[in-house]
Amino acid sequence: MLTSPLRVAHLVDTLHPDGGEYGLVALAGAARTAGLELVVVGISGAGDGRRAAALRAAGATVVEHGLAPWDPRAVPRVLDTLREHGVALIHTHSPNADVAGSAAATRLRLPVFSTLHRIEDEPADRLDRLRRTAKTMARARFVTRTIAVSRLQVDWYRRVAGSARGLVVLPDGVADPEPVDRERARAVLGLGAADVLVVSAAPMRRGKGQDLLLDAVAALPPDLPATVVLTGDGPLRPWLEARVAREAELSGRVVVRPLADPPALLQAADVQVHVTRTDVMPSAVVRGLAAGIPVVTSRVGGLPEIVTRETGRQVPLTAQAVAEALTELASDATLRARLGTAARTRFEERFEAGGWAARLRALYDSTLG
């Protein structure tokens, strides 16, 4: 039985939509059931209000300081915020937040948790290597517990830090999606019940695999009843739209339709495809599990920790392999249903936001105790 609520300050660089989201909206929505109260602090920049509004609607207290990156005023500003809200511990999610949060925690004698959301495996030059070493040393000295969202990060962290002591693996969670009108969402795309809707919700950026996906779509059997929708957005969107328009194999099958809420279309989809060239723990793939649909992913990074043989297909980074997996799933409704049921079960057991919040609370309590 939970005792009094635990107030936790989550520090991020920015609440701008282009910054990392870190699952905090989902965590805020599930926090009360785990006895947590969230104070989300954006140190740098300023968002457009959407993310702050979503956090507040989910029950979090939001503070934005709007400072420049690495502004020396960040530490005193964060100190004032922590004192004002009487937090019991600090949880950081980005390099700038790691520095400001650790410095403030030292002054207030509060424990610091820090989540690793990326892998910095290839420093560009000597200066980058020195920065990575400095951050690793600071983490070892000032951070109480470091959280990896993927087992993949454990091996990386051991290489750069020399030890994985104090590191715990705890994947981020995703909120259970709101139901959508499936028939209406598909009708907007001109799809009927017999058509197979394949959705890619990855951002349209370099390395996210849309070029490989289009190569695979061009290799699909012409009579396969599959429509592929790219719902993400990003700097590669004009190039993707131009390629789809000029290639006959793509223009009749691929729709480029960036949406304000890309995961919503997953509720109306039959298959998700996410063939990025590197990824640690993408929430878009977890949302595919939540939608109860099979997921085709590349066999890279932390993706094999999300999608198993029972919930989808892991494929090498070749157009032929992606095309074969999509053809298999688009041709077999019974297989899709079986994999989709297993995907939903895996989401509920491992990635649902309520369970994530409860596991975080247990981790916090074990340290405070």
Side-chain angles (χ1 to χ4, degrees):
M1 180 177 180
L2 295 176
T3 55
S4 59
L6 184 66
R7 186 167 295 173
V8 181
H10 285 262
L11 273 60
V12 298
D13 281 352
T14 177
L15 291 176
H16 193 279
D18 291 338
E21 196 268 330
Y22 310 126
L24 293 181
V25 174
L27 182 61
R32 182 172 297 180
T33 62
L36 295 172
E37 295 179 354
L38 267 61
V39 179
V40 179
V41 183
I43 298 173
S44 303
D48 59 6
R50 286 180 293 169
R51 186 163 292 167
L55 284 163
R56 291 190 178 102
T61 298
V62 179
V63 179
E64 292 187 87
H65 290 301
L67 301 173
W70 306 104
D71 191 313
R73 294 174 295 174
V75 175
R77 294 280 184 89
V78 169
L79 267 170
D80 289 344
T81 299
L82 300 179
R83 289 186 177 119
E84 178 185 352
H85 293 282
V87 303
L89 59 86
I90 302 167
H91 193 147
T92 63
H93 296 271
S94 54
N96 190 13
D98 288 342
V99 173
S102 296
T106 300
R107 293 279 299 275
L108 298 176
R109 299 184 178 181
L110 294 177
V112 182
F113 289 70
S114 178
T115 296
L116 300 169
H117 292 279
R118 293 183 295 274
I119 289 180
E120 301 174 32
D121 213 14
E122 297 181 2
D125 52 29
R126 183 173 178 272
L127 181 58
D128 278 352
R129 287 193 294 272
L130 289 173
R131 286 172 176 164
R132 190 180 71 174
T133 300
K135 286 188 290 186
T136 301
M137 293 174 64
R139 182 183 298 277
R141 180 173 180 181
F142 297 111
V143 172
T144 310
R145 295 297 296 272
T146 297
I147 299 173
V149 298
S150 163
R151 290 191 299 272
L152 177 74
Q153 291 173 307
V154 176
D155 294 335
W156 162 75
Y157 191 76
R158 185 181 288 112
R159 290 199 307 272
V160 300
S163 169
R165 185 170 59 87
L167 188 69
V168 61
V169 179
L170 181 58
D172 290 349
V174 166
D176 205 354
E178 294 289 335
V180 301
D181 187 331
R182 177 180 170 86
E183 290 185 6
R184 181 178 180 183
R186 293 169 67 90
V188 170
L189 297 168
L191 302 179
D195 296 307
V196 177
L197 173 57
V198 179
V199 172
S200 167
M204 296 179 188
R205 299 197 299 264
R206 186 180 300 275
K208 294 303 180 181
Q210 286 91 353
D211 55 336
L212 175 65
L213 174 57
L214 294 185
D215 291 342
V217 172
L220 292 176
D223 59 344
L224 191 72
T227 296
V228 179
V229 179
L230 311 184
T231 70
D233 204 350
L236 289 184
R237 176 183 169 188
W239 179 85
L240 293 168
E241 289 177 327
R243 181 179 172 186
V244 169
R246 72 172 179 265
E247 296 186 22
E249 299 91 345
L250 302 178
S251 58
R253 194 190 290 276
V254 178
V255 178
V256 181
R257 180 166 294 186
L259 300 174
D261 183 19
L265 191 58
L266 291 172
Q267 304 302 305
D270 299 290
V271 179
Q272 183 188 13
V273 59
H274 191 94
V275 287
T276 54
R277 289 175 170 82
T278 179
D279 248 325
V280 177
M281 186 59 62
S283 59
V285 177
V286 178
R287 290 188 175 100
L289 301 184
I293 59 176
V295 186
V296 176
T297 67
S298 44
R299 196 180 296 131
V300 301
L303 290 170
E305 299 176 44
I306 305 174
V307 177
T308 66
R309 181 70 183 176
E310 290 71 35
T311 62
R313 293 292 181 262
Q314 299 173 18
V315 297
L317 283 168
T318 68
Q320 185 62 34
V322 177
E324 289 175 358
L326 291 178
T327 300
E328 177 193 23
L329 294 175
S331 304
D332 192 336
T334 302
L335 175 62
R336 292 198 305 272
R338 175 167 58 81
L339 296 177
T341 298
R344 176 66 191 180
T345 299
R346 182 165 176 79
F347 164 74
E348 292 172 342
E349 293 176 350
R350 185 170 175 81
F351 298 108
E352 192 271 327
W356 176 37
R359 289 187 283 273
L360 264 181
R361 174 66 197 252
L363 183 60
Y364 295 153
D365 287 343
S366 67
T367 302
L368 291 171

